Amino acid sequence: MYDVIIVGGGVSGAASARELSRYKVSVCVLEKEEDVCCGTSKANSAIVHAGYDAATGSLMAKLNVRGNAMMEQLSRDLDFPFKRIGSLVVCLSEEDMPGLQALYDRGVANGVKDLQILNREEVLAMEPNIVDNVYAALYAPTAGIVCPFNLNIALAENACENGVDFKFDTEVQNIRKTDSGWALDTNQGTYETKYVVNAAGVYSDKLHNMVSEKKIHITPRRGDYCLLDKNAGNHVSKTIFALPTKYGKGVLVSPTIHGNLLIGPTAIDIEDKEGTNTTREGLEQVIGKAGQNVKNLPMRQVITSFAGLRAHEGGHEFLIGELDDAEGFIDCAGIESPGLTSCPAIGEMVANILKEKMGLEEKDNFIATRKGVLDPDTLSREEREELIRKEPAYGNIICRCEMITEGEIIDAIRRPLGARSLDGVKRRTRAGMGRCQSGFCSPRTMEILAREWGVSMSDITKAGGDSKLVVGTNKDTI
Amino acid sequence: MKSYDIVIIGGGPAGLAAAVSAKENGIDSILILERDKELGGILNQCIHNGFGLHTFKEELTGPEYAQRFIDQAEKLGIEYKLNTMVMDISPQKTVTAMNRQEGMFEIQAKAVILAMGCRERSRGALNIPGYRPAGIYSAGTAQRLVNMEGLMPGREVVILGSGDIGLIMARRMTFEGAKVKVVAELMPYSGGLKRNIVQCLDDYGIPLKLSHTVVDIKGRKRLEGVTLAEVDSNGKPIPGTEEFYSCDTLLLSVGLIPENEISNGMGVQMNPVTSGPEVNESLETNIEGVFACGNVLHVHDLVDFVSEEAATAGKNAAAYVKGIRQAGGGRDVRLNPVDGVRYTVPMMVNTARMDENLTIRFRVGGVYKNCYVSTYFDDERVIHRKRQIVAPGEMEEIRLTKEQLLKYPDLETITVKIEEA
């Protein structure tokens, strides 16, 4: 019997777990995939929004601004990459200026600092690859970019270090009310708990509707993206948003925290909660719209495309709180953009709700910081040489494109909640994320995974479950 | 800091042949830096035969072909370091490298030979829509798994792209018990050698669908199937032509890209068509004393030509180190690929520095039947060779002599083009 079970190991679940781990309380995270950061949290724009988008007074607006403010300290405490690079919302004509002005006003009302409307010359001086016919732009210096994988993984690892249990490949199939709280039936048996936090992303309606008469509906809203080579990473220096106009919503163009260029997303409502497939129409939309605000985009430099699903709720508002008709069941649903930005504040809010309900006391041995996978590039030459002397695996490059060493991959595997699959290694180290898209390093990373986990190469998966990378040995069917 | 006369980046067929040639041309201080655990490069996983017909007049497997050069290099006492990654090279030819034993270290070179080879284009570069499950491999990665690790990537295979590695893998997977259902090629012609179409597809009844591509990928965890569609003359899928193939493996053989990250880092000027360095008749880049050869320079079909080209680079690097290259005098003549000829290597010829014989290699941009490969010295046509067929999958060459060039003292441009009959 746990005090709290959190369903879902995305950023909301992991942030809630981490915040709760400050207190004397037993917490378990149930995750249906083989790793944290496998749903919405892994496939999004990776933007830390300034906070001018959400309606003033909404929870979304409040948590966005608070999450943005918390992100910098959190990135230092938990050692994940975050950069405040600023963003521009591009306005192409005088007739759209009221829209830009409205964004500015809303931002000010939401408490976003240092917003500024720039004229054409100022925009082009700041960002020369914006289209020549730019009219003005809203500049938000507080916007930033983050590594969504390592944000999520850092939160989970730190929660784990502070005593939170994580159960993977564990899918909640049914929830029952019991005398002492809740029973969660999963494919791995039943878990009992006093409180439930529903952080199940696109599935949060399914969980909610199991316990409440006030039904909600989460629409998976698909976003297709194209990721460009690092050669194109300097094409813009800030996140470039399109001003929504009567012609629709444009796509953003942004450097990523690792120096690639990201273009997307689309917004296509679907029914399938696992429908993370890109489509030709979707990718064509991205490519077609990308040039509206940024010129000379080197689309030949695309190295991969992907799609993620936003957990869109009809009211476009975060639904966070205990349900009226299901005591002890706390929703953390409808977490779509700016969910990634807001996650530190979401975790804080969820923890505060439970703290008050349960009268939680703080631990005195809470570990507030965590070290990420050591990136040898951040070391001085002398430190790096010393590291290789001590750990020769840091002298062995496995991923040529991203220059990731065997030492980093071993670190990613051996740490708390360590990587078990190729994608797990990729999200923790970037091995396989480069321009060759793991063509060269995947057999080598498989070898390291097999060795470290003491299994055979044919047991290694791309992303857990049935995603085996090889199906047997030569001639074994002949 | 240690120093060498010639540092060669890459110990594959190009690096080895360049090293042997440099040594034979009088340079003793040579170092090969190889990132893999053995010399030989990609040849080590190419266990099929057909290598060496030009060089050794016999049919060898890839490892056998590599071994001939490894043996020569060993016999000549050429130094090499394995498991060593070159991190970067400065324009002053200081090479920074890293390995387990020595950590990070620097080596000063008088001359550098770039021989890093190429990598495969990935699914992402083609923007193929669909899911991203396990079971999608570039043909070369699958080749490594099957031939080096003895592991089968899957049992039911569709191959996209008719590059040579894909064709070879169609046969290889068949040998190992897999069912190769179809090879789809976006272009209306194959990207591979004719002999590979015959020996790897036709002989095993594997259909080749030209002007077809993958338009959807199904399967969330492991690949379940792909949808092929016919494409129009612009490469756009034609609605209504979609056909689903169930399969657990999709191999991609959709092109090779020279690996020039290090070259770019040191300021070597690139050619946008080859994605390799711009070189002159000595296979020297815009940085004096920096040479390039093999697939890092332009993608080859046959390793024999890689060896030949690399020997030229090695010889010229030796001459550069010894200071015996005629620097002054002569004319710089520009090569001008037009009308169906996509590029030439080299891109420039100096009439004083050039050897008695010069091979110009090039590729065409489409299939041309009953045409002429023509060479013009400025406005005058000097070569007009009838060809039954030329195709993008087969590298072409023309041979020029110094004597020929010197007859034209005012020569500025050598144009290579395809002329219809």
Side-chain angles (χ1 to χ4, degrees):
Chain A
M1 165 79 97
Y2 285 99
D3 293 329
V4 181
I5 282 183
I6 299 169
V7 184
V11 283
S12 302
S16 301
R18 195 248 174 183
E19 283 304 313
L20 277 171
S21 71
R22 295 175 183 276
Y23 302 102
K24 293 174 183 162
V25 58
S26 68
V27 181
C28 177
V29 176
L30 303 182
E31 169 55 53
K32 77 178 173 68
E33 299 295 328
E34 55 108 36
D35 196 358
V36 296
C37 198
C38 282
T40 303
S41 303
K42 81 164 178 185
N44 54 68
S45 307
I47 303 295
V48 174
H49 293 273
Y52 47 73
D53 274 315
T56 304
S58 66
L59 186 58
M60 234 177 210
K62 187 179 132 198
L63 297 185
N64 181 342
V65 173
R66 169 113 185 106
N68 179 305
M70 291 170 76
M71 197 61 83
E72 198 161 326
Q73 184 59 43
L74 191 67
S75 75
R76 278 198 288 269
D77 288 348
L78 299 184
D79 193 21
F80 61 84
F82 164 68
K83 246 194 245 168
R84 230 177 254 295
I85 59 169
S87 70
L88 291 171
V89 181
V90 173
C91 173
L92 296 177
S93 71
E94 190 175 0
E95 72 179 270
D96 291 327
M97 279 307 284
L100 198 71
Q101 186 62 43
L103 274 189
Y104 173 90
D105 295 341
R106 199 192 302 155
V108 171
N110 289 354
V112 180
K113 292 198 183 99
D114 305 326
L115 285 174
Q116 227 182 312
I117 289 185
L118 306 180
N119 66 26
R120 179 176 182 276
E121 286 66 36
E122 290 166 323
V123 175
L124 289 173
M126 188 178 269
E127 208 60 86
N129 277 324
I130 300 265
V131 287
D132 297 328
N133 59 323
V134 55
Y135 185 80
L138 174 64
Y139 175 43
T142 56
I145 49 177
V146 67
C147 172
F149 321 116
N150 276 311
L151 163 58
N152 197 155
I153 288 162
L155 288 164
E157 269 182 27
N158 187 239
C160 177
E161 286 250 59
N162 284 303
V164 174
D165 286 345
F166 282 78
K167 308 284 179 194
F168 294 106
D169 299 308
T170 304
E171 183 174 357
V172 175
Q173 291 159 339
N174 190 35
I175 303 179
R176 291 175 286 124
K177 187 89 188 100
T178 64
D179 291 345
S180 48
W182 300 92
L184 281 65
D185 299 322
T186 77
N187 58 331
Q188 308 278 1
T190 297
Y191 288 85
E192 292 206 57
T193 179
K194 292 176 190 150
Y195 294 86
V196 175
V197 175
N198 170 19
V202 288
Y203 289 94
S204 52
D205 56 347
K206 206 175 138 196
L207 261 65
H208 170 107
N209 295 343
M210 284 177 193
V211 302
S212 172
E213 285 313 309
K214 296 174 187 162
K215 305 297 179 193
I216 61 170
H217 182 72
I218 302 288
T219 305
R221 180 168 284 178
R222 197 185 79 226
D224 303 53
Y225 293 87
C226 292
L227 187 74
L228 276 65
D229 193 285
K230 286 183 172 177
N231 289 335
N234 291 327
H235 199 73
V236 293
S237 66
K238 297 176 175 46
T239 302
I240 312 300
F241 294 101
L243 179 67
T245 66
K246 59 185 173 188
Y247 303 108
K249 208 171 168 234
V251 300
L252 68 83
V253 177
S254 180
T256 70
I257 195 80
H258 297 288
N260 296 85
L261 193 74
L262 184 67
I263 302 175
T266 53
I268 301 166
D269 288 348
I270 60 173
E271 281 307 312
D272 182 356
K273 291 183 191 292
E274 298 286 331
T276 53
N277 54 315
T278 56
T279 63
R280 211 164 87 79
E281 298 70 34
L283 294 175
E284 275 173 2
Q285 244 186 64
V286 170
I287 293 163
K289 285 183 176 177
Q292 288 175 355
N293 296 303
V294 179
K295 64 186 175 191
N296 304 328
L297 278 168
M299 294 309 294
R300 284 181 53 140
Q301 300 269 0
V302 171
I303 61 168
T304 190
S305 49
F306 62 90
L309 302 178
R310 311 173 186 82
H312 174 68
E313 197 275 327
H316 188 55
E317 172 64 310
F318 294 157
L319 305 178
I320 301 173
E322 189 176 22
L323 303 191
D324 300 340
D325 60 348
E327 205 202 334
F329 189 100
I330 289 97
D331 253 352
C332 187
I335 311 298
E336 59 179 316
S337 180
L340 189 73
T341 311
S342 308
C343 78
I346 291 173
E348 190 181 57
M349 182 172 170
V350 168
N352 279 335
I353 292 170
L354 286 162
K355 180 188 170 188
E356 276 189 23
K357 283 217 60 110
M358 303 170 74
L360 298 178
E361 279 174 49
E362 282 193 32
K363 279 181 199 164
D364 35 21
N365 58 348
F366 174 68
I367 305 160
T369 60
R370 161 263 188 195
K371 283 309 280 180
V373 172
L374 174 65
D375 177 358
D377 269 346
T378 60
L379 302 178
S380 71
R381 179 67 181 267
E382 291 71 30
E383 291 168 328
R384 194 164 181 173
E385 299 240 20
E386 182 56 31
L387 177 67
I388 300 172
R389 264 195 295 280
K390 271 198 249 155
E391 300 279 352
Y394 283 97
N396 183 21
I397 297 276
I398 299 294
C399 168
R400 295 167 176 180
C401 303
E402 298 293 314
M403 291 284 192
I404 307 301
T405 63
E406 185 182 353
E408 292 158 84
I409 294 174
I410 293 173
D411 183 357
I413 295 170
R414 290 188 186 165
R415 56 184 35 241
L417 309 179
R420 297 189 294 162
S421 65
L422 219 50
D423 281 359
V425 168
K426 181 167 89 170
R427 284 193 292 271
R428 283 167 179 80
T429 65
R430 297 187 57 71
M433 241 181 230
R435 48 178 69 97
C436 93
Q437 288 286 296
S438 85
F440 173 76
C441 67
S442 55
R444 287 156 175 90
T445 305
M446 285 165 69
E447 218 175 290
I448 298 170
L449 276 163
R451 188 186 72 208
E452 289 292 318
W453 288 106
V455 297
S456 88
M457 292 262 283
S458 21
D459 294 323
I460 302 301
T461 65
K462 180 174 184 286
D466 298 327
S467 66
K468 291 242 165 81
L469 286 155
V470 296
V471 298
T473 55
N474 286 5
K475 294 190 173 64
D476 62 2
T477 55
I478 300 179
Chain B
M1 190 187 340
K2 273 201 170 181
S3 63
Y4 287 84
D5 284 349
I6 301 179
V7 174
I8 299 171
I9 317 301
L16 287 166
V20 167
S21 160
K23 178 84 182 186
E24 285 170 344
N25 281 283
I27 302 296
D28 285 325
S29 164
I30 301 171
L31 176 68
I32 301 175
L33 296 174
E34 166 57 44
R35 56 192 170 189
D36 216 331
K37 61 185 179 214
E38 55 194 342
L39 294 173
I42 207 69
L43 286 175
N44 290 320
Q45 67 180 55
C46 299
I47 63 172
H48 52 284
N49 65 352
F51 299 90
L53 281 167
H54 295 261
T55 312
F56 300 111
K57 310 291 174 224
E58 57 181 311
E59 270 200 81
L60 303 174
T61 64
E64 285 171 334
Y65 185 96
Q67 198 59 46
R68 300 250 170 137
F69 281 92
I70 295 169
D71 289 346
Q72 282 186 57
E74 297 273 11
K75 211 168 104 192
L76 292 168
I78 291 165
E79 261 186 77
Y80 57 86
K81 287 181 192 291
L82 302 177
N83 295 308
T84 301
M85 188 78 184
V86 172
M87 312 292 283
D88 77 16
I89 308 176
S90 75
Q92 294 73 38
K93 306 188 194 76
T94 307
V95 179
T96 305
M98 183 168 86
N99 65 29
R100 283 168 160 269
Q101 293 75 32
E102 295 159 274
M104 285 178 87
F105 56 95
E106 266 123 28
I107 291 165
Q108 184 58 49
K110 286 185 189 154
V112 170
I113 301 177
L114 303 169
M116 292 87 79
C118 59
R119 66 167 173 270
E120 299 178 279
R121 277 180 90 199
S122 71
R123 168 191 175 181
L126 307 178
N127 248 339
I128 305 172
Y131 285 93
R132 300 190 299 150
I136 304 172
Y137 289 101
S138 61
T141 306
Q143 188 178 45
R144 186 191 157 93
L145 285 170
V146 175
N147 292 352
M148 312 277 283
E149 320 281 354
L151 296 172
M152 281 295 275
R155 307 256 181 248
E156 293 198 308
V157 185
V158 169
I159 299 178
L160 175 63
S162 58
D164 288 310
I165 314 171
L167 301 175
I168 295 287
M169 281 311 290
R171 178 175 65 180
R172 187 78 189 103
M173 296 292 283
T174 306
F175 284 170
E176 295 298 343
K179 168 77 186 155
V180 179
K181 294 191 161 177
V182 64
V183 176
E185 167 60 56
L186 179 74
M187 305 305 284
Y189 49 81
S190 161
L193 297 171
K194 179 74 187 158
R195 74 172 199 212
N196 282 335
I197 303 272
V198 175
Q199 295 172 6
C200 300
L201 300 187
D202 297 354
D203 287 359
Y204 301 92
I206 299 168
L208 171 62
K209 291 201 150 196
L210 297 174
S211 299
H212 276 72
T213 193
V214 174
V215 294
D216 197 18
I217 292 174
K218 198 178 157 221
R220 281 160 191 162
K221 288 288 187 181
R222 176 79 202 193
L223 183 64
E224 290 163 17
V226 301
T227 305
L228 299 187
E230 197 177 335
V231 297
D232 63 21
S233 54
N234 298 315
K236 294 272 174 231
I238 302 169
T241 62
E242 296 85 1
E243 199 180 346
F244 181 75
Y245 286 78
S246 73
C247 59
D248 64 2
T249 308
L250 173 66
L251 299 187
L252 302 173
S253 181
V254 290
L256 299 167
I257 305 168
E259 286 232 272
N260 275 297
E261 281 66 36
I262 294 170
S263 330
N264 275 318
M266 68 188 299
V268 168
Q269 193 189 330
M270 290 293 147
N271 181 291
V273 180
T274 58
S275 301
E278 291 266 343
V279 292
N280 61 24
E281 75 300 319
S282 308
L283 304 180
E284 186 184 32
T285 67
N286 61 310
I287 304 179
E288 220 184 63
V290 176
F291 301 81
C293 55
N295 283 348
V296 81
L297 177 56
H298 60 139
V299 176
H300 294 63
D301 320 314
L302 296 177
V303 71
D304 301 74
F305 296 149
V306 168
S307 304
E308 190 186 309
E309 184 179 278
T312 304
K315 187 180 119 192
N316 288 317
Y320 170 82
V321 170
K322 290 193 285 184
I324 55 169
R325 259 165 29 115
Q326 299 90 326
R331 291 182 66 81
D332 284 337
V333 181
R334 195 173 57 88
L335 277 132
N336 180 33
V338 293
D339 296 348
V341 176
R342 294 186 60 227
Y343 72 85
T344 64
V345 167
M347 293 82 174
M348 202 272 291
V349 180
N350 179 282
T351 54
R353 280 194 309 251
M354 78 179 282
D355 287 334
E356 292 312 315
N357 294 294
L358 178 71
T359 304
I360 310 279
R361 297 209 155 91
F362 64 94
R363 275 186 200 274
V364 294
V367 176
Y368 299 88
K369 289 183 177 164
N370 296 316
C371 60
Y372 291 92
V373 173
S374 300
T375 305
Y376 286 75
F377 282 6
D378 290 328
D379 293 331
E380 187 185 334
R381 187 161 74 194
V382 294
I383 302 175
H384 191 54
R385 195 153 46 102
K386 179 88 193 275
R387 297 292 306 275
Q388 271 192 331
I389 185 164
V390 291
E394 321 240 355
M395 190 183 281
E396 298 288 331
E397 62 176 44
I398 48 172
R399 288 171 187 267
L400 302 175
T401 64
K402 189 167 191 161
E403 197 188 340
Q404 236 176 336
L405 262 73
L406 291 179
K407 282 185 199 151
Y408 296 79
D410 300 322
L411 181 59
E412 285 186 352
T413 302
I414 299 173
T415 299
V416 185
K417 63 165 92 167
I418 301 297
E419 291 180 314
E420 308 285 342

